[in-house]
Amino acid sequence: MINFIGITKDNHLEKNVSINNAVLSNYKWFWVDFSEPTKEEIKYLSDTFHFHPLAVEDCVQEFQRPKLDYYKNYTYYVTHIVREENKTIIKDELDFFVGESCIVTFHKVPSIEVSKVWNHILSMESLVDCDTYYVFYEILDKIVDNYFPIIYRIEDDLEKMIEISNSKSMNRLMNELFETRNMLLNLLHTINPMRDLLYRMLNSHHLNLNRVGERREYFSDIYDHLLKLSEMVMSNREVTSDIRDSYLSLNSHQTNNVMKLLTIITSIFAPLTFIAGIYGMNFENIPELQWKYGYFLSLSVMVIIGVAMLLYFKRRGWFK
């Protein structure tokens, strides 16, 4: 589907115009949105707008890394939209062709961000201060803002994980931790390239050649948000590592306590087993076997040895 908005030179908005019937030169600026385009509609990128073949190729192929390419009369941007389904990060690509008199958005799946800005433009009473870079900023800002709820949800899950970590089995906790770390890594692979894209925009000499320079403060604000997002992701990855290490340390400590108890029991019963083994041998010439009080004496010796070893281990602090 191809949607069209045109702003005339006297700042009137025209919508529901077919791209085939629109006289593009009559507009002050216009916005064309390619939403889930067909192969025939994709041809408009080359045939009508005459975009560079390399840009069109990058636009059609998936999945490009967030980037920007400067061309003669426009700039080509690749951005990533992130959404979450069943605790799985889904990335969708949103491409922009931005020039002084036109902005073209291209996405193969429906975009909430584009729809919100599209409806916002249609509802504006005055379009005097609105231009293609305003549209580009608004969409880009909403893309970045939609990263935050996912990270906030992950932070909430980590807090719950910390509170009830002792009541979970090790396998379950580890599975949840690695799923969370995988989500954070996927977010990082999107946020960092987006941050680099904004950094390049703000520090390139091309900035002063178009109207991006007039909105530098706004794009700088998006860059600051991406820096914050990157720091949040890295911080949460460190939290997952701390939870994992703490739980492994606790589990190791509990295992050591169990092994210590088993070692004490084994140490106590080792001499008792030795005594029982000697008198359990089937030799006829064992003097104590014929003694009337031999049985009671052997039991008494075993009890004394056991109690003595218990007291010894207790004095050494093995039961603390």
Side-chain angles (χ1 to χ4, degrees), residues 292-311:
K292 180 179 179 180
Y293 301 103
Y295 171 72
F296 301 101
L297 180 63
S298 63
L299 286 182
S300 299
V301 170
M302 289 182 183
V303 171
I304 292 171
I305 293 174
V307 172
M309 294 188 70
L310 277 173
L311 294 175

Side-chain angles (χ1 to χ4, degrees), residues 114-127:
V114 172
S115 298
K116 287 182 178 179
V117 178
W118 187 274
N119 294 329
H120 174 64
I121 295 295
L122 293 178
S123 63
M124 291 180 65
E125 295 181 358
S126 175
L127 297 169

Side-chain angles (χ1 to χ4, degrees), residues 60 85-86 116 176 244 301:
V60 174
E85 293 184 1
N86 298 323
K116 287 182 178 179
E176 291 182 3
R244 179 195 60 194
V301 170

Side-chain angles (χ1 to χ4, degrees), residues 5-17:
I5 286 179
I7 309 301
T8 62
K9 295 181 179 179
D10 53 355
N11 294 315
H12 289 300
L13 186 146
E14 293 184 1
K15 59 180 181 179
N16 299 326
V17 179

Side-chain angles (χ1 to χ4, degrees), residues 53 71 108 177 200 221 275 316:
Y71 293 95
K108 293 185 177 180
L177 280 175
R200 186 178 172 189
D221 183 64
I275 296 174
R316 296 297 298 269

